[in-house]
Amino acid sequence: MRKRVILSIATALAVAVAPAALGGTAVAASTPVAGATASTASTGTVSQEGGPLVVPSGEEGPVTTRVTVRLSHYTGGRMKARLLLPTRPYEPGNEDPSYSAVTSTCAVNGGAFQPCSWDSPYNVAALPEVDTRAGYDTILTYDIRVDAHSYAEYLGKVTATLEVTDEAGAVTDRGPVAFQFVKGTPEANLRTTVLARDKSGVLWQYESSGRFDKPLKARTRIGGGWNAYTAIVPVTFRTAAGQGDLMARDKDGVLWYYEGSGNTAAPFKPRARVGGGWNQYTAFTGYGTGLLARDKAGKLWRYSFTGADDPRYVLEGRTDMGGGWNIYTAIAGQAQGYNPVARDKDGVLWAYDTRFPGFYPRVRVGGGWNAYNSLAWTGRLTSSNANLIARDTSGKLWSYDSAYRNSNLIPTSTRKQIGYGWDIYDTIL
């Protein structure tokens, strides 16, 4: 008797609410309304708990939204569901699929989570099926778990449509499900690091946070014994994921190679000997994938990094980059970049743009740079481009934004204090 009553009610509802289920034409999914908020379908059958799901785009990990569907009529068979995603407009220069930075898994009625990929043809994510015959289910609960890469931030507000179909393929219920993709913490391989050696020879690492307001995390210890070196030079771009290589010259003029390990806690493999004779140089800095070295006569030489397995051949033969560099008291180049800056004895900072071999005529950045006793290029800390960091004589650390002038990356006048007490270090890179 109970079954007949339920079926009678379901049939009446079906006639009133879902003509498609009785052999009529299935209604196409409605286009999601931009800016729609949570929760209630036009039939009043679909609701999203808590409103739009806020999804951090970065390394924070997955978040979950729960969607409840009160079936508009009981069909007594296998129910399917899918998430219809709005088509993203084409953006020149962005050739990746619209939702490729999103990964997701879904569950129904407390069951196991299964893949329900957003990065699929036609912007449709298939949710798990459920058999409603088992318990005359009239309420379906979908958990949609979403994880997003940093690149997903550009998606912003996404209002999808959750659509339920019965065993015959007719749509029974639909309603909006909203997601808000926001900036999270960039993944470790997208964040840079600042290294600093203290006066006792311990090397410390500061990971960038990905936040412009507080760009550096607390320091972590790499190891001791680094006061054996008179110069330490990054030769490839460093990341918080333990990527990036160093070269270091000891007091006897021997150059050593430290390959990045890919281990955040111990970012360098054991050192390997490159060769001797490097005491002929008075200054070193990173440049491209390799380094620049200034000799005692003021000539600048370029050594390109080969990445060879044998450390004896990890650098190519040197290339003459021009003379006259003894007028500078500091030279700061970029690992995997080609825009060194140099400070002269009067405190004027000059920027160089590369042409092979050598450089284009220098460009004046500005005066007053004798206020600093350390200069180094880093990855992105406080701007969308690389930053020049500078320590003043009181131990404060400053970060300068940079901007392209033609093809030359030049520090701007915009600076931000990012630390204090950095006078405990004798080397910052």
Side-chain angles (χ1 to χ4, degrees), residues 9-22 72-74:
I9 294 171
T11 303
L13 286 173
V15 172
V17 179
L22 302 179
S72 57
H73 65 283
Y74 179 75

Side-chain angles (χ1 to χ4, degrees), residues 313-389:
Y313 305 107
V314 78
L315 294 175
E316 294 179 354
R318 67 183 188 176
T319 300
D320 186 348
M321 299 293 282
W325 287 78
N326 274 341
I327 64 173
Y328 297 119
T329 58
I331 305 170
Q334 299 167 279
Q336 295 188 217
Y338 295 92
N339 297 107
V341 294
R343 181 189 62 197
D344 67 22
K345 297 172 184 177
D346 296 323
V348 176
L349 191 69
W350 301 89
Y352 284 85
D353 187 16
T354 298
R355 65 180 176 189
F356 295 103
F359 300 96
Y360 289 101
R362 66 183 187 176
V363 174
R364 190 180 193 272
V365 176
W369 288 80
N370 275 340
Y372 302 115
N373 54 29
S374 177
L375 298 174
W377 277 109
T378 71
R380 291 176 291 182
L381 294 176
T382 59
S383 70
S384 57
N385 296 316
N387 289 104
L388 185 69
I389 57 173

